[in-house]
Amino acid sequence: MSRVVIARTIAGQLPYFPSAVRLGDGRVFVVWREGLGHVRSNGRIVAAESSDEGRNWSEPRVVVDTIQDDRDPMVVQLANGDLLLSWFQIDWSVRPYVCPGVQVARSTDGGASWDSPVAVGSGMVDHETAEVWHSFRAGHVVAHGQILELPDGDLLAPVYGVFPGDHRHSAAVVRSTDGGLTWPAENEIVLGRQPDREYTEPVLTLLPDGQVVALLRTDQEADLVRSDDNGVTWSEPEPSGLYASSSDTLTLSDGAVLLAFGDVSRRFNPGRPTVATVIREPRGRWDKDPQHLVIDAGQDTMDQANPAVVELPGDELLVISYDIFTREIVGEILPRTALG
């Protein structure tokens, strides 16, 4: 494996939550959040890029910086070349804390500039409710996971949050039928909602045969839900066998699925290191293939992982995470064979 430093924050700022994509022109484009802390501090979204398969990186530049905490950025490139950047916001200045919603911005020039964002609708949103959930105003929606473009051109935005009256997180997808210009709340489909189980951080994967798989973080092992009709209907959640949090997936050129996640099983250490695996048969359980420790910030911290994954030419893979102790967004370039 080969360690690369993508960026280092200035003193007093910490890096979090990278997302990456290899663009059609060969550049690797990465976004992440910078802030004073993981929670309860305002953050901004920063980007950098590499033109030599992740070995060297441009100087970071700010792409989103509002008065809110802009966090959990995710970037994807559509078939027409446009980039979509999604993220959500938290207002920490009020009590209870407020989540204004999930935003999606578009770039038509390869990430050099971004249009004004549009909001993702959801039945979870209720800005009038007086209910409080864990110091947050209930009835809110947030996001984790890249937007997925389907074979028919529709887009699915994975979201999660708390429906009014609920006391647990639910996970869902919101469909856009106009290329991401609008995300109507009535196009939302729930992936997981139970009174006694948390469903958070949905991550979507399109398999070569057209099946869409959603990996859902829970308060136990992660669950999988599946759709064979472009995300219109979904199976009931099933165990994945992985104690995975803050995951990222990528369907590789050979049809296997690269999965990286924060491992909370404590097999590798007491913290949450970045672990990766290549799933050869993604229609089955996802815990059958070997899992490998890729990035570990050490010091037994839970504040790490949230990885991003990229496939590089020459059977190489790039796994990206963050290290709050060195204040760095870091990556490991490794041969495909290193993961079995």
Side-chain angles (χ1 to χ4, degrees):
M1 294 193 295
S2 176
R3 173 67 63 93
V4 295
V5 175
I6 295 169
R8 191 168 190 260
T9 65
I10 63 173
Q13 295 288 310
L14 298 175
Y16 298 96
F17 322 142
S19 175
V21 61
R22 189 171 188 272
L23 304 179
D25 61 11
R27 289 179 297 142
V28 180
F29 190 83
V30 179
V31 295
W32 65 93
R33 172 187 178 267
E34 287 185 353
L36 294 173
H38 192 115
V39 296
R40 299 185 186 179
S41 72
N42 279 6
R44 62 185 187 177
I45 297 173
V46 184
E49 59 190 59
S50 171
S51 298
D52 60 359
E53 310 301 350
R55 270 69 180 180
N56 296 281
W57 293 85
S58 67
E59 287 296 316
R61 63 182 185 275
V62 177
V63 294
V64 176
D65 188 7
T66 73
I67 62 172
Q68 312 293 351
D69 180 10
D70 300 301
R71 55 191 299 120
D72 269 45
M74 290 286 157
V75 65
V76 67
Q77 186 171 40
L78 303 181
N80 67 359
D82 290 356
L83 303 186
L84 293 184
L85 174 67
S86 57
W87 73 99
F88 73 93
Q89 299 174 316
I90 300 178
D91 184 351
W92 300 108
S93 69
V94 296
R95 293 293 295 266
Y97 309 124
V98 173
C99 297
V102 177
Q103 307 291 319
V104 178
R106 180 185 305 270
S107 174
T108 58
D109 55 11
S113 63
W114 298 87
D115 296 340
S116 297
V118 296
V120 176
S122 171
M124 302 179 201
V125 175
D126 182 356
H127 294 307
E128 303 303 320
T129 182
E131 283 191 273
V132 177
W133 179 92
H134 290 230
S135 299
F136 286 86
R137 182 186 293 168
H140 66 261
V141 66
V142 295
H144 174 87
Q146 292 170 309
I147 291 169
L148 179 68
E149 185 172 20
L150 298 169
D152 63 2
D154 285 359
L155 305 175
L156 296 179
V159 299
Y160 67 100
V162 181
F163 282 101
D166 284 2
H167 299 282
R168 296 277 187 169
H169 281 103
S170 298
V173 291
V174 181
R175 181 183 299 268
S176 173
T177 59
D178 55 12
L181 298 178
T182 61
W183 303 86
E186 55 267 27
N187 288 358
E188 182 177 52
I189 300 174
V190 174
L191 304 177
R193 183 184 185 185
Q194 292 184 17
D196 58 351
R197 192 170 179 84
E198 295 278 355
Y199 285 112
T200 66
E201 297 179 352
V203 176
L204 304 179
T205 310
L206 178 65
L207 303 186
D209 62 6
Q211 184 179 81
V212 182
V213 185
L215 179 68
L216 311 181
R217 178 180 178 178
T218 79
D219 41 5
Q220 302 172 40
E221 66 179 283
D223 279 353
L224 296 169
V225 293
R226 302 172 185 272
S227 174
D228 290 305
D229 56 8
N230 278 329
V232 176
T233 61
W234 295 81
S235 66
E236 290 297 314
E238 63 188 60
S240 71
L242 300 171
Y243 285 81
S245 70
S246 307
S247 305
D248 192 27
T249 61
L250 179 68
T251 300
L252 301 174
S253 54
D254 64 1
V257 170
L258 172 61
L259 166 67
F261 57 92
D263 182 83
V264 293
S265 70
R266 298 184 177 269
R267 293 170 303 156
F268 297 97
N269 71 29
R272 192 178 67 156
T274 299
V275 171
T277 181
V278 173
I279 303 161
R280 296 179 179 85
E281 298 179 2
R283 272 189 167 267
R285 283 177 62 98
W286 281 24
D287 61 342
K288 294 182 178 180
D289 298 287
Q291 295 139 41
H292 302 267
L293 180 65
V294 178
I295 300 174
D296 185 6
Q299 305 187 49
D300 298 340
T301 179
M302 293 295 290
D303 195 358
Q304 56 177 301
N306 287 87
V309 294
V310 176
E311 184 176 22
L312 302 174
D315 290 327
E316 287 187 320
L317 306 174
L318 172 61
V319 180
I320 301 171
S321 187
Y322 65 88
D323 188 326
I324 60 171
F325 303 107
T326 63
R327 307 198 319 269
E328 293 171 337
I329 297 292
V330 296
E332 289 285 352
I333 299 173
L334 60 158
R336 165 74 165 76
T337 54
L339 297 183

